Amino acid sequence: DQQVKQNSPSLSVQEGRISILNCDYTNSMFDYFLWYKKYPAEGPTFLISISSIKDKNEDGRFTVFLNKSAKHLSLHIVPSQPGDSAVYFCAASAASGTYKYIFGTGTRLKVLA
Amino acid sequence: DVKVTQSSRYLVKRTGEKVFLECVQDMDHENMFWYRQDPGLGLRLIYFSYDVKMKEKGDIPEGYSVSREKKERFSLILESASTNQTSMYLCASSFGGQETQYFGPGTRLLVL
């Protein structure tokens, strides 16, 4: 039972355009969400987070949107750069749970120069 | 800056060998985690620890054990390696609760 889903395994975007990565979750108890970026042969690096009390969080070129009623979050990257090419994971946790984050399966973003 | 280090970047082991993967963090984090990453499956939690000598099973603990004798160090043990344990192993740490997890560079393990 995949509680966090990233239904697009890959995405290609032209440099300078917007990249939109999507993530859906099924557990309504999830109240904190993270996005990570991962380059090959490296560990994931934290990008941005959002709490369920917000519907948007912005950090430079990265914005995360949360739609609680749809149980959906998205990561927007504007403008996209070739260095953004990586695998992106979303992760979710519940305050009432343990210390666990549940990760999605990842979306491979390729930004074309 | 948080630093999480893993003892090896690449390992090749034979079926049946005992394998130790070590992780060290330098930020006095309470929580430490071991994940494996496989294509199409994302990151799956093997074990985690929220205090010294404390451990909890994650989603896929079978075939693995862990040890946390010191706060900064969390070891993953494969008692008898099997080919289906060929994977990328990632260690992470965090302060606690829902705090951001910081990952090490990963160990790519090949079991022949």
Side-chain angles (χ1 to χ4, degrees), chain B residues 63-79:
Chain B
Y64 303 94
S65 62
V66 290
S67 171
R68 193 163 179 206
E69 296 295 319
K70 293 185 178 182
K71 191 175 186 180
E72 68 271 17
R73 193 177 296 267
F74 192 34
S75 301
L76 179 69
I77 303 149
L78 288 65
E79 294 289 342

Side-chain angles (χ1 to χ4, degrees), chain B residues 34-83:
Chain B
W34 276 106
Y35 294 88
R36 60 179 282 178
Q37 183 201 355
D38 300 289
L41 297 177
L43 275 67
R44 293 181 293 166
L45 182 64
I46 304 170
Y47 267 97
F48 65 101
S49 168
Y50 51 89
D51 203 351
V52 176
K53 296 192 187 295
M54 305 300 286
K55 60 186 179 186
E56 292 277 345
K57 291 180 180 178
D59 300 314
I60 51 164
E62 296 79 19
Y64 303 94
S65 62
V66 290
S67 171
R68 193 163 179 206
E69 296 295 319
K70 293 185 178 182
K71 191 175 186 180
E72 68 271 17
R73 193 177 296 267
F74 192 34
S75 301
L76 179 69
I77 303 149
L78 288 65
E79 294 289 342
S80 177
S82 62
T83 54

Side-chain angles (χ1 to χ4, degrees), chain A residues 31 36 38 41 43 93 95 101, chain B residues 9 31 37 59 98 101 104-105:
Chain A
D31 58 3
Y36 285 87
K38 186 181 184 299
S93 77
Y101 273 92
Chain B
R9 294 301 300 271
N31 299 342
Q37 183 201 355
D59 300 314
Q98 292 177 297
Q101 293 183 15

